Amino acid sequence: MRKVYLDNAATTRLHDEVFAEMLPYLKDIYGNPSSIHSFGREARKAVEEAREKTAAALGAEPREIIFTSGATEANNIAIRGVARALLQKGRHIITTAVEHHAVLDACKALEEEGYRVTVLPVDAYGMVSPQDVADAIADDTILVSVMLANNEVGTVMPVAEIGKICRERGVIFHTDAVQAVGALPVNVDDLQVDLLSLSAHKFHGPKGVGALYVRKGTKLKVFSFGGAQERKMRPGTENVAGIVGLGKAIELATTGMEAKVSRIKAMRDKLIAGLLAIPDTRLNGHPEKRLPGNVNISVKYVEGESMILSLDLKGIAVSSGSACTSGSLDPSHVLMAMGLDHQTAHGSLRLTLSANNTEEEIDYVLSVMPDIVARLRAMSPVYPGKE
Amino acid sequence: MRFAAETGTVMRREIMRQVYLDNSATTAVLPEVAAEMQKVLLDAYGNPSSLHTMGVEAERIKNAARRILAEACGGREEELIFTSGGTEANNLAVKGVARRLKRRGRHLITTQVEHPSVLYACRALEEEGFSVTYLPVDGTGRVRLDALEEALQEDTLLVSVMHVNNETGTVMPVAEIGRLVKEKAPEALFHVDAVQSFGKLPVSAGDWQADLITISAHKIHGPKGCGALWRRAGVPLAPLFHGGDQEAGLRPGTENMAGIAGFAAAARLALAEQSKRAAGLARLKEFFLRAVFAAIPDITVNSPKEAAPHIVSITFPGVKGEVLVHELTRWGIYVSTGSACHSRRADPSHVLLAMGRTPKEIEATLRFSFSPLNTEAELEYTVEKLQQAVAHLRRLTRRK
């Protein structure tokens, strides 16, 4: 059976070149970067080279990059780190209703510790308004966290505008850029962010490694303890091969990005047009300001989960929303925040592309989709078109 | 080294002999392990949380790995939590228990010779209002059971003791400690940091009456960046961070799948050959010690006779350990002065201090740690170079 992987927002296939770069650091140059002998120093050098590549891709300085076990940890270090460090200044945090759970749950945990959290609404496209951010900032606001691009509906947030507001008001600004790296230009100065999280496995790097950009002078309190690695911000023996993989992957993802992105966009638009040709469907998220690889549609009268399983039988891997909560029966918090009703939210499907996809694969998806929808609708008790 | 010779990727390695004797700091990934990782990275790359076939396949790989590792700890599949390594697992165990149970008590017990990840987690808890007893050790590095008995209180939440010390190889009497804890403070939980022993000595939650056990992949020829905390079912724990349903919400974030698959592969190999490997390591250690004693006068071995078979700590009076490390590096021999995480700090080893060594003695100490990949020929070569280096450095010291 042919295999079409359209779940690249959940995770991506490792790039072959990334694997080639990682392998020597597993088998031959396996020293512990903290060791003072040359075996350790070679591993250290590899970590520092990856740090330079990561910094270069973001327009940052190498010493502003902290490697983590992934974006969830990076988001937690950023949010809880700032909250704990600025305890004396205030206890107010601003975020949005459509953030990743790593951000929302970290904020929720802080709420239980006595912090005040403002969760800003979004419009029907999943967009937060910079004016709302400005209005929400109070004297005791210590942090604003707004994602760069949404993982479910692909909406690209006005982060640069929000960054400008935060800087004017003297508030630290964090952005979760997990979905954006390799898809949009991500420059920490253009975006005016103080903290930025990313994850390697979203841009053809390995799972289990991510990074947090921390602008020079930004105060963070450590919450994991042990060795002196990552300037004590993130102790533990470095995942050297993973870090090397991140460095290579971010270099590949951000080199020649425009050509890759325009190809992906063309496939995305074809996919959207084809899916919307099916009656009673709608596109979720912003029509223009959206990630080049994101398609999120609602198919009325059909359960998203049934569509996933039917497509899976045809060798097509897609999802209904974010992977991390796919086990739960609750409808997507993102779609609900955008004002979708329960039924429409439940009938949503996310198809996310990468440079590995081909136009032929898109044609294949579009060739099987109408039949799947028709068959599921025929079984649906709520479908009015039923005889 | 077998791998370097086989693949020869780095130019320098082709010319110079390489003897890696720093296996307590980290180890080489075995080819079989790398092959398992490659499969997960390039073929079975799904996200285990995804509903489609690729997600289901990833979930299956993860749970198979979970079963192997949990059973290796003497527990059940659902009791194991994957982490980014031993440091995180230790933090999760110590802080997770303390924070979750703070209404029941505020007292913890550990030893003065633990890994920094346990010691600093305890210090952080002290700042949060907990009190911590740091038990002393005897001259061999073994925790004093009388001190433990005295320290155990009714409201003690957790006792955290390592199985094998990373600097000296000293084996702690964890079964006796477990018995004592459950006898004197039945409500206290018992955590064992088994990072240095897992895959080398028997690890048994049942025999130790342990509630939590930390293990790490990169000490047993698995990859860096992956570890696990075994937690007996029902043991309460607060997560270190938040954000997803992975690992029962106790450790959110997309799983390090290649790391997990590599960890399980490494454990499978280590466990299948455990007694053979242990016997081989014991032979290497004996061979090494005999050769060192024959070649170099006036040395002290800090590791007790009954220490784990893969770690030897030796003091070479009159020599600076750090200088000796660099001297040996010139000959392609890699050893360390103590734990790797400590090697960039100036302060003397807290482990050897607790064992009653003087700062001067500590400064003159090296750690040699073996793996089954080492050979007697490598050790012969090492002793030869070690003898020359020590003699040379001692002559220099005397001249001053």
Side-chain angles (χ1 to χ4, degrees):
Chain A
M1 190 172 59
R2 65 180 302 165
K3 295 248 181 206
V4 180
Y5 187 75
L6 288 174
D7 199 9
N8 289 284
T11 193
T12 57
R13 180 183 185 274
L14 193 80
H15 200 297
D16 289 319
E17 278 181 52
V18 174
F19 180 71
E21 196 102 345
M22 289 170 70
L23 194 58
Y25 292 94
L26 292 171
K27 290 171 119 177
D28 300 322
I29 312 165
Y30 54 82
N32 186 323
S34 295
S35 296
I36 53 176
H37 50 64
S38 62
F39 226 74
R41 285 204 304 272
E42 269 188 67
R44 160 74 45 215
K45 203 172 127 233
V47 168
E48 295 315 318
E49 275 169 13
R51 201 187 306 280
E52 279 164 29
K53 286 180 187 169
T54 309
L58 303 174
E61 286 176 30
R63 63 193 183 112
E64 295 175 311
I65 305 296
I66 294 169
F67 290 117
T68 68
S69 67
T72 293
E73 188 182 28
N75 281 334
N76 273 266
I77 292 176
I79 291 168
R80 293 156 68 89
V82 168
R84 297 252 165 87
L86 298 184
L87 200 58
Q88 302 306 323
K89 191 182 170 237
R91 296 193 156 220
H92 182 228
I93 294 164
I94 298 168
T95 186
T96 82
V98 296
E99 297 299 310
H100 188 271
H101 281 288
V103 168
L104 287 176
D105 291 356
C107 288
K108 215 177 285 169
L110 287 170
E111 222 166 14
E112 281 166 28
E113 292 175 28
Y115 290 80
R116 194 158 55 85
V117 179
T118 301
V119 180
L120 295 174
V122 293
D123 67 13
Y125 296 129
M127 193 75 80
V128 70
S129 137
Q131 189 56 47
D132 283 355
V133 175
D135 293 345
I137 294 176
D139 288 342
D140 64 340
T141 305
I142 49 175
L143 176 72
V144 173
S145 178
V146 177
M147 69 199 329
L148 187 42
N150 186 271
N151 52 316
E152 294 192 28
V153 297
T155 301
V156 179
M157 298 287 204
V159 163
E161 274 177 79
I162 296 169
K164 187 162 173 278
I165 292 166
C166 290
R167 187 156 297 176
E168 279 165 10
R169 304 284 292 270
V171 177
I172 292 178
F173 181 40
H174 166 249
T175 192
D176 170 356
V178 165
Q179 296 288 339
V181 174
L184 309 169
V186 179
N187 180 291
V188 291
D189 288 332
D190 293 347
L191 297 172
Q192 305 203 37
V193 293
D194 302 302
L195 299 149
L196 181 145
S197 314
L198 60 86
S199 172
H201 77 102
K202 307 290 189 185
F203 47 83
H204 306 288
K207 295 174 189 59
V209 59
L212 178 66
Y213 157 79
V214 184
R215 187 177 291 279
K216 257 190 325 250
T218 308
K219 281 198 190 114
L220 282 185
K221 196 155 189 306
V222 191
F223 74 97
S224 189
F225 300 86
Q229 293 96 344
E230 300 300 299
R231 293 159 61 217
K232 290 196 184 167
M233 288 305 308
R234 210 293 182 170
T237 299
E238 293 89 340
N239 177 357
V240 177
I243 289 170
V244 166
L246 191 161
K248 185 64 183 174
I250 202 166
E251 187 182 63
L252 290 170
T254 52
T255 314
M257 193 174 80
E258 265 174 58
K260 258 181 288 180
V261 162
S262 73
R263 211 189 118 242
I264 294 171
K265 247 185 199 164
M267 289 190 284
R268 174 198 73 182
D269 291 341
K270 183 173 189 179
L271 188 54
I272 290 175
L275 292 172
L276 290 182
I278 299 169
D280 291 321
T281 51
R282 55 162 279 172
L283 179 70
N284 298 315
H286 202 281
E288 285 115 36
K289 290 174 185 160
R290 77 182 300 134
L291 286 170
N294 177 285
V295 178
N296 189 311
I297 56 156
S298 285
V299 180
K300 235 178 162 181
Y301 317 118
V302 176
E303 289 282 332
E305 206 163 302
S306 317
M307 285 189 283
I308 294 175
L309 299 178
S310 301
L311 285 166
D312 195 38
L313 289 173
K314 300 275 181 195
I316 302 165
V318 302
S319 74
S320 59
S322 97
C324 344
T325 50
S326 58
S328 83
L329 294 172
D330 299 335
S332 146
H333 71 287
V334 174
L335 297 176
M336 296 306 282
M338 288 161 59
L340 268 68
D341 60 72
H342 258 78
Q343 202 204 337
T344 315
H346 268 305
S348 71
L349 203 60
R350 180 184 70 174
L351 307 94
T352 42
L353 297 89
S354 84
N356 292 342
N357 293 117
T358 62
E359 208 181 320
E360 201 208 337
E361 289 178 339
I362 303 304
D363 292 335
Y364 173 62
V365 174
L366 290 175
S367 74
V368 301
M369 193 66 184
D371 285 349
I372 288 174
V373 172
R375 192 175 51 80
L376 293 173
R377 279 181 175 163
M379 295 189 292
S380 166
V382 289
Y383 183 51
K386 208 152 77 167
E387 299 293 308
Chain B
M1 286 302 302
R2 185 150 66 92
F3 300 143
E6 266 171 20
T7 51
T9 38
V10 178
M11 315 60 64
R12 211 158 45 72
R13 296 205 192 299
E14 288 170 343
I15 315 158
M16 205 169 72
R17 185 164 188 173
Q18 301 278 319
V19 181
Y20 185 76
L21 298 178
D22 199 9
N23 290 286
S24 284
T26 193
T27 57
V29 168
L30 290 170
E32 299 92 319
V33 173
E36 286 297 315
M37 295 175 71
Q38 178 168 4
K39 264 188 238 163
V40 168
L41 287 167
L42 297 177
D43 302 324
Y45 57 85
N47 185 325
S49 297
S50 295
L51 293 176
H52 48 67
T53 305
M54 290 206 53
V56 172
E57 171 68 2
E59 179 78 2
R60 192 192 60 72
I61 292 169
K62 186 179 71 163
N63 287 334
R66 198 195 299 283
R67 188 176 329 116
I68 289 169
L69 294 163
E71 285 173 2
C73 292
R76 296 198 309 265
E77 179 182 327
E78 65 277 13
E79 296 177 322
L80 193 105
I81 302 161
F82 285 111
T83 68
S84 68
T87 289
E88 188 188 327
N90 279 339
N91 271 270
L92 179 58
V94 173
K95 294 198 284 194
V97 164
R99 288 187 182 149
R100 184 68 195 277
L101 294 179
K102 65 181 172 205
R103 274 186 216 94
R104 192 168 79 61
R106 300 235 147 191
H107 180 236
L108 295 95
I109 298 173
T110 187
T111 81
Q112 292 174 1
V113 297
E114 295 302 307
H115 187 267
S117 54
V118 167
L119 288 177
Y120 292 159
C122 285
R123 260 178 238 168
L125 287 172
E126 283 184 282
E127 278 177 36
E128 293 177 24
F130 290 88
S131 77
V132 182
T133 306
Y134 300 91
L135 298 173
V137 295
D138 63 19
T140 69
R142 266 167 75 102
V143 68
R144 301 230 319 263
L145 292 174
D146 56 331
L148 170 64
E149 193 162 358
E150 212 170 291
L152 281 165
Q153 299 166 14
E154 211 177 299
D155 70 337
T156 301
L157 296 178
L158 181 77
V159 177
S160 178
V161 179
M162 68 201 328
H163 185 202
V164 167
N165 185 274
N166 53 316
E167 294 192 31
T168 61
T170 302
V171 183
M172 293 289 196
V174 277
E176 283 172 78
I177 294 169
R179 203 175 319 125
L180 205 56
V181 169
K182 298 300 166 185
E183 218 174 270
K184 299 282 166 190
E187 284 199 62
L189 297 170
F190 181 34
H191 168 238
V192 180
D193 171 358
V195 165
Q196 289 292 344
S197 62
F198 182 71
K200 293 162 189 140
L201 303 176
V203 166
S204 169
D207 291 352
W208 301 349
Q209 302 191 51
D211 301 292
L212 302 128
I213 297 175
T214 294
I215 56 179
S216 170
H218 78 104
K219 310 288 190 190
I220 57 162
H221 302 287
K224 297 173 187 60
C226 187
L229 180 66
W230 171 81
R231 175 195 62 139
R232 186 186 300 286
V235 167
L237 211 54
L240 290 173
F241 47 87
H242 308 269
D245 300 333
Q246 293 97 342
E247 305 300 292
L250 286 168
R251 209 300 177 171
T254 299
E255 297 84 344
N256 177 359
M257 285 300 301
I260 288 170
F263 193 178
R268 210 166 31 219
L269 291 169
L271 295 169
E273 298 174 0
Q274 185 163 298
S275 47
K276 201 178 111 207
R277 282 192 191 181
L281 288 169
R283 267 198 307 277
L284 282 177
K285 183 169 102 169
E286 211 187 303
F287 177 87
F288 180 70
L289 280 174
R290 200 174 305 147
V292 173
F293 272 116
I296 307 170
D298 301 328
I299 58 171
T300 321
V301 176
N302 301 300
S303 311
K305 267 204 181 60
E306 58 285 359
H310 60 297
I311 303 175
V312 182
S313 166
I314 303 178
T315 303
F316 302 88
V319 172
K320 274 212 162 81
E322 203 174 322
V323 178
L324 198 47
V325 168
H326 288 301
E327 195 62 25
L328 290 173
T329 290
R330 285 181 43 214
W331 297 102
I333 299 163
Y334 305 107
V335 301
S336 69
T337 51
S339 96
C341 352
H342 251 323
S343 59
R344 277 157 198 280
R345 292 184 199 162
D347 44 331
S349 150
H350 67 288
V351 175
L352 296 171
L353 273 180
M355 287 165 63
R357 304 297 190 271
T358 64
K360 211 172 162 74
E361 288 168 335
I362 295 170
E363 214 183 56
T365 301
L366 286 194
R367 176 184 69 177
F368 303 85
S369 46
F370 311 117
S371 108
L373 300 177
N374 292 124
T375 62
E376 288 187 0
E378 286 181 341
L379 298 184
E380 240 167 55
Y381 171 75
T382 301
V383 172
E384 181 197 322
K385 297 301 170 198
L386 192 60
Q387 180 190 25
Q388 290 168 9
V390 170
H392 172 68
L393 292 170
R394 278 179 174 169
R395 266 199 304 278
L396 289 181
T397 332
R398 263 182 232 128
R399 210 174 290 162
K400 271 189 217 157

